[in-house]
Amino acid sequence: MTLPDTASHPAGADHTFQVDLRGLVDLLSHHLYSSPRVYLRELLQNAVDALTARHGLEPAAPADAFGIRLYADGSLVRLEDDGVGLTEADVHTFLATIGRSSKRAERIAEQRGDFIGQFGIGLLSCFLVADEIHVLSRSARTPDADAVEWRGRGDGSYTIRTLPPSARPRPGTTVTLTPRTDAGEWTRPEQVHALARHFGSLLRHPVTFDDGRGAPGIPVNPEPAPWARAYPTPGSRSRALAAYGEEVFGFTPLDTIDLDLPAVGLKGIACVLPEAVPVGRRHGHRVHVKGMLLSEQAEEILPEWAFFVRCVVDAESLRPTASRESLYEDDILAAVRDALADRLRAWIARAAASDPDLLARFLQAHHLAVKSLAVHDDEILRMLLPWLPFETTDGHSTLDQFARAHRTVLVTSSVEEFRQVAAIASAAGLGVVNGGYTYDRELVHRLPEIRPEVTVADLDPATLTAHLDPVDRETELAAAPYLALARDALAVFDCDVALRTFQPASAPALLIDSREARHERTRSQLAREQEGGLWGDILGALRQEAPRAQLILNQLNPLVRTAVAIAEPELARTSAEALYGQAALLSRRPLRPAESSLINRSFLDLLAHALRKDS
């Protein structure tokens, strides 16, 4: 163990951190930045901030008087800007001290909101692809300022020297990178051009690219953002925005929504997805800050329910995080998210009021998303509940259409319950909505908030059986022996049997058996089996009078009229079991093992009886 040198470092003395630059760059590349490609964004960003400061010095200069020129030929990458430049003192202060930002200088502190960068580590990102960074700069603040050269190396060393003004005749800064051999993926000319387009296509300052092959000055951002351009007609603007959305996201939008929040300097578009997406799946959005691409996966810019759109926005006041690859969660971002949500609601309202065809196409693709929103958003509920499609006894219909035909709307608690009763309820003139799908039952019950003249109630067996006509007394007495045998045969399923007349006549039987009733009978059965034990006491305390299923036979059906006249007891029992099995199959609910066994046995018994009769 080596003792510290107390002579050279007396107790209590201050010490200076020693920074391992290679270790710091490795930390940045693995934990701050998502990819080495961000080096070009940082170079562009520093240049844009320098140009912003230059325009602050010369506010009368035209917007395109100063620009950015990018060069890459495979052996080097160079970026030159006409910005405010650096003095020798600036170089010592900002390039030789890691973590300090020129944007914090007092002379421009009041303009801080005009700058993209907020953290003084951007230049370090260049060490992700280069072993040496060369900076040549001349300040625009002093007309006869000298040029200053800074040369930094990946081992942490650097040199600074002053050069005559002729070394850089115009104010501004040139940054030259000497790429490492393993960084060719990010420094090839075509890749540098593609990255410049990717990050800087919406920058407000002119950016050009030169690959050294005889075609200098290729514009990187030749046009303003598509929403900022002038168009001859609204239709041409709409088509241009849709084409831009397709270029960015790879799909043709169902529609585009203008996003404009002057208070925070935000402009952009939301592209409505043409196809449904899984509920809860959130898409990333493309966010630019002052023209510079910040993130392509910024989920936080819109609320969770807005998963039917993807948006591109350019904002002035949103704050980037340290990596400048996501947004800082603060009050401004929360306010922007709420304001953009209002824009989406306003678009839905306009479609509902003035473009029913667009609304129909939107709801066809995204009705589940809108239903999830309507459950929690009263405004959307009032606007769109009447337009939302539901499965009903009148077919797929909007609630508005359905409520016109049925002042009393009945809603089932499950899909299987709806399938059991749909045909009979329709024939009886009852209006029933399938409430078994996500959100549907809850939304149907809120219909009276929008249509006070409509009554909504849950469908129960008593409601349905009350609409089935009783048979005459003579017919019921004649069928009594058969009904008794049928009840005995189906007692194992806690099922009662009744004879009624109902339409359609082609339906021989209706099985009314809700999920809740089956659960209660299962619980009662468990209580009986566990009687006397701890679980038996618990289940017994929960037990209610177990509701029975009902097999209702249709006297109008020829097969039923034949069955109730059967005199042979075993054949009568088998026919009742077969009618129960057929009704259970038509309900399309999962069959219990005993029910599957009954269906197989009754089929084989009927087949055997038919064969004996034929022989």
Side-chain angles (χ1 to χ4, degrees), residues 132-203:
E132 183 173 286
I133 304 172
H134 177 261
V135 178
L136 182 63
S137 187
R138 180 180 171 191
S139 176
R141 301 182 186 281
T142 307
D144 57 350
D146 289 332
V148 185
E149 179 189 67
W150 179 89
R151 192 180 299 272
R153 288 166 288 276
D155 60 5
S157 63
Y158 65 89
T159 58
I160 300 175
R161 63 175 179 157
T162 302
L163 301 174
S166 59
R168 200 182 195 289
R170 300 173 58 188
T173 302
T174 301
V175 180
T176 304
L177 308 181
T178 303
R180 296 199 309 266
T181 55
D182 62 349
E185 176 185 359
W186 306 109
T187 57
R188 296 193 311 270
E190 58 274 16
Q191 181 68 286
V192 173
H193 186 208
L195 290 176
R197 287 278 300 163
H198 180 72
F199 289 116
S201 62
L202 299 186
L203 288 175

Side-chain angles (χ1 to χ4, degrees), residues 67-71 78-82 168 170 206-208:
I68 301 170
R69 293 165 295 283
L70 186 60
Y71 175 89
R78 183 173 65 237
L79 187 142
E80 180 180 1
D81 68 66
D82 300 319
R168 200 182 195 289
R170 300 173 58 188
V207 183
T208 58

Side-chain angles (χ1 to χ4, degrees), residues 225-250:
W227 48 82
R229 301 172 199 165
Y231 298 94
T233 64
S236 61
R237 183 178 191 277
S238 178
R239 289 189 292 274
L241 294 180
Y244 180 73
E246 184 171 9
E247 176 187 346
V248 171
F249 296 124

